[in-house]
Amino acid sequence: MKMKLTALVFIVFVLFSLSLSKAEAACDIQDFKVCLPAVIGGSPPSTECCTKLKDNQSCSCFYLKNPLVVPYKTSSKQVLEACGIPVPVC
């Protein structure tokens, strides 16, 4: 019985890990190059930037925690707000 429980826990762990990997793989920070002028330069976000952000709202926390974005977290949140996207609580 203990062996079956251990195997079940292991299988659940592996499936959970795979699902996280797929979710993170779908979130590519390179897709948001169009938002750089708004994040770094403080200009208003372009329509293309807002569209990318709206299409990928499920990735918001992943992006905000990305080491490349962390120094620009405040301005990134301002861009989200300017695009009418709620800032996630991560």
Side-chain angles (χ1 to χ4, degrees), residues 69-88:
V69 176
V70 168
Y72 305 101
K73 198 172 202 172
T74 300
S75 59
S76 296
K77 288 179 179 181
Q78 291 170 343
V79 169
L80 286 171
E81 290 171 347
C83 290
I85 300 168
V87 177

Side-chain angles (χ1 to χ4, degrees), residues 4 10 13 21 28 34-35 37-38 43 50 57 62 70-71 87 89-90:
K4 288 182 182 180
F10 178 73
F13 174 75
S21 298
D28 185 4
V34 296
C35 296
S43 63
C50 290
Q57 285 186 49
F62 175 75
V70 168
V87 177
V89 177
C90 305

Side-chain angles (χ1 to χ4, degrees), residues 56-66 73 87-90:
N56 292 287
Q57 285 186 49
S58 62
C59 295
S60 294
C61 283
F62 175 75
Y63 296 131
L64 290 172
K65 292 178 181 178
N66 185 301
K73 198 172 202 172
V87 177
V89 177
C90 305

Side-chain angles (χ1 to χ4, degrees), residues 40-58:
I40 295 173
S43 63
S46 66
T47 303
E48 185 180 6
C49 171
C50 290
T51 300
K52 289 270 188 190
L53 291 172
K54 286 177 184 173
D55 290 346
N56 292 287
Q57 285 186 49
S58 62

